[in-house]
Amino acid sequence: MSQTGQADPVVRIAAKGDGLTEGGRHVAGAVPGDAIDADGEIIPGPHHVDPPCRHFPQCGGCELQHADDAALAQFVSERVRFAAESQGLEPEVLAPPHLSPPRSRRRATLHVARIGKKIVIGFREGGSHRIVDMAECHILSPELFALVAPLRALLGHWQGKLAADIQLTRIDSGVAVEIKGIAPDGLAQTEALLDFAREQGLARLSIDEGYGPEPVWEPSPAMVTIGGVPVAFPHGAFLQPTSDGEAALVSAAKEWCAGHGVVADLFAGLGTFAFALGGPGKVLAAEADRAAHLACQAAARQSGRPVHALHRDLFRDPLTAAEISKFGAILLDPPRAGARSEVDQIAQSTATRVAYISCNPQSWARDARRLADAGFRLAELRPVGQFRWSTHVELASLFLRD
């Protein structure tokens, strides 16, 4: 209750998904527009909707299915804006947030276990190791969800203890499936795996017994098209979780970097941004993971795109300030930990244009502060919510220095 004894209105969704009231209370399951009565009950408001999935809120795959699109957009935008404000930064332009639609996730890791005689497969409950046996899913793309029942049937014939992780990724020729934690025991199980891969039209089926994934089925090389360029898809390679989210981030990168001389794409992965920016402009694509680097390098050579792939660990051996100063624009898309060492070199360089893509607003904000202290201004900030109904938020940002 507020000090006046009236119901306490919920004004926003906090970072971990709770509703935050005007009076400072955190209330699970509340969204902006709701109110909290004297007994702590939620009085639903105009932005409180019925969750579409029967597994919500037990399933840890989603946290905000009770929020409508307006509330989700507000949350995504505020997460990014508040991260900037925590470091004393204010963007000159805060763009409207991009939200990925339902059933658009093209990669996910599901968990499998045998409970009694039953095979359960799905995401884990929030804060628990218990697996929610998936009967429906409103975030996975239809191609991924279509494999859940066949996988349950396949593994139902597995003997003995069963505990595995299954990584699903939709690529050009179908779905790449990687099963970690089990191994076929004998000819019958091996043939069952091959039959499953053939019947489901998989692009690749791999088994990881603990020594790294080995393909047991790959009728043609697994490929994914990036920026119009076919690129080999190594095991464990990173892809943006949705195609539309990738398009939003790439659009920002092209708008901010194209036409500004040679671009340094740092933490380039398979070349998500490099191939979009390469042609006619030149791009240096620096990446530490050897498999991703080699895939990017081969694709650049075969396509003729002006992308030079560099194998370099930017955490241990960042591009120096002198090297950075040679480029017209810098693009970073680091892991969740951010890019402190590289940002420090950028700050010491003569670079004037930096596009920073991030999947962690907190680490981004710390790096952004370093850039600001070096004379950069935050020219634009674009929030991106690829993980629909999740508290996981991404962003694209542009820093300029006179």
Side-chain angles (χ1 to χ4, degrees), residues 94-109:
L94 178 63
H98 172 88
L99 291 180
S100 292
R103 296 186 171 94
S104 61
R105 189 85 61 82
R106 64 177 175 179
R107 63 174 175 84
T109 298

Side-chain angles (χ1 to χ4, degrees), residues 161-318:
K161 183 179 179 181
L162 178 62
D165 293 336
I166 302 180
Q167 185 178 78
L168 308 174
T169 309
R170 191 185 71 231
I171 57 176
D172 288 357
S173 53
V175 179
V177 177
E178 181 181 320
I179 304 177
K180 184 176 182 179
I182 63 173
D185 183 13
L187 180 60
Q189 286 187 346
T190 299
E191 290 180 339
L193 286 171
L194 294 174
D195 289 342
F196 167 79
R198 186 182 303 108
E199 291 166 2
Q200 300 303 320
L202 299 185
R204 180 169 66 202
L205 174 61
S206 305
I207 300 293
D208 186 350
E209 302 179 38
Y211 306 100
E214 293 290 341
V216 297
W217 169 268
E218 190 173 3
S220 60
M223 308 289 288
V224 59
T225 298
I226 298 176
V229 175
V231 182
F233 182 67
H235 288 97
F238 174 80
L239 286 181
Q240 293 292 337
T242 66
S243 298
D244 70 279
E246 176 179 285
L249 295 173
V250 167
S251 176
K254 292 173 69 173
E255 181 179 334
W256 294 337
C257 296
H260 292 279
V262 181
V263 177
D265 179 5
L266 309 182
F267 309 94
L270 294 176
T272 298
F273 300 103
F275 288 118
L277 293 167
K282 296 180 180 180
V283 179
L284 172 73
E287 171 57 41
D289 182 83
R290 183 169 179 79
H293 156 71
L294 291 174
C296 178
Q297 182 182 65
R301 289 173 177 171
Q302 292 168 7
S303 66
R305 293 285 182 94
V307 172
H308 174 72
L310 173 67
H311 185 220
R312 186 157 171 174
D313 186 341
L314 298 175
F315 288 107
R316 298 180 180 179
D317 184 22

Side-chain angles (χ1 to χ4, degrees), residues 21-22 32 39 53-54 64 99 116 144-146 150-151 182 190 194 212 221 246 289 295-296 322 328 350 353 370:
T21 72
E22 194 174 73
D39 298 321
C53 181
R54 75 184 78 176
L64 298 171
L99 291 180
L144 299 192
F145 179 72
L151 280 165
I182 63 173
T190 299
L194 294 174
E246 176 179 285
D289 182 83
C296 178
T350 60
R353 177 173 293 264
R370 294 186 180 89

Side-chain angles (χ1 to χ4, degrees), residues 374-397:
F376 284 91
R377 68 183 194 275
L378 179 54
E380 188 169 351
L381 192 53
R382 298 186 184 182
V384 177
Q386 289 199 74
F387 290 87
R388 187 179 181 85
W389 295 311
S390 167
T391 57
H392 185 83
V393 173
E394 300 175 316
L395 63 90
S397 58

Side-chain angles (χ1 to χ4, degrees), residues 252-253 256-257 260 263-264 266 324 327-333 342-343 345-347 349-357 364 367-368 371 376-380 396-401:
W256 294 337
C257 296
H260 292 279
V263 177
L266 309 182
I324 288 291
F327 295 92
I330 312 299
L331 186 143
L332 300 94
D333 183 17
E342 192 60 78
V343 165
Q345 293 299 316
I346 294 172
S349 75
T350 60
T352 59
R353 177 173 293 264
V354 176
Y356 192 144
I357 313 296
W364 167 84
D367 287 344
L371 292 175
F376 284 91
R377 68 183 194 275
L378 179 54
E380 188 169 351
S397 58
L398 173 64
F399 295 86
L400 299 176
R401 180 165 60 180

